[in-house]
Amino acid sequence: MSFGNTLLYTKTISAIHQTHLNQSISFLHSPREGRFSLSLDLSEAFKPIIVFKTIFDLVGRKQLQVAKHFDKDLNFALLNEAGKKIFINAFETRINETFMHPKLKRKVSYKQCLKLDGYKLIKHILEEREFVPFLLKEKQ
């Protein structure tokens, strides 16, 4: 799970870089020096949709197996290289999956939705609009 969250945080940092938001200022997680707290905040809504769903799909389809894809020397707590490759491929497929966005009336990916949440936050700050993070019901 930590590996997937780290991948998601990295994608969120990249999305935030495309906006005018300051990575170190956050609203959920406490800001700390050397940590991009805003990426932790914005990625929260996407964890169940991207990270957890990817894990459940891979385990359910037996594409990730404890005996084959986790490091035995570390009590099976970390993915081995083969497991990481499988997870990264599934993660990339999931985050790039597109769907028709009901408000935008065009296809968007989850990766694009990370950036859209950044823009929603900007509108919240500048225009005092309510910030509503991405919801699964936006995917139809």
Side-chain angles (χ1 to χ4, degrees), residues 31 76 82 92 102 108 110 115-116 129 138:
F76 300 97
E92 288 294 330
V108 295
Y110 291 114
K115 185 168 62 171
L116 291 174
R129 291 188 189 182
E138 290 181 38

Side-chain angles (χ1 to χ4, degrees), residues 54-67:
T54 301
I55 292 168
F56 293 142
D57 286 349
L58 289 173
V59 171
R61 287 190 252 130
K62 296 185 176 154
Q63 291 177 300
L64 268 186
Q65 299 175 15
V66 173

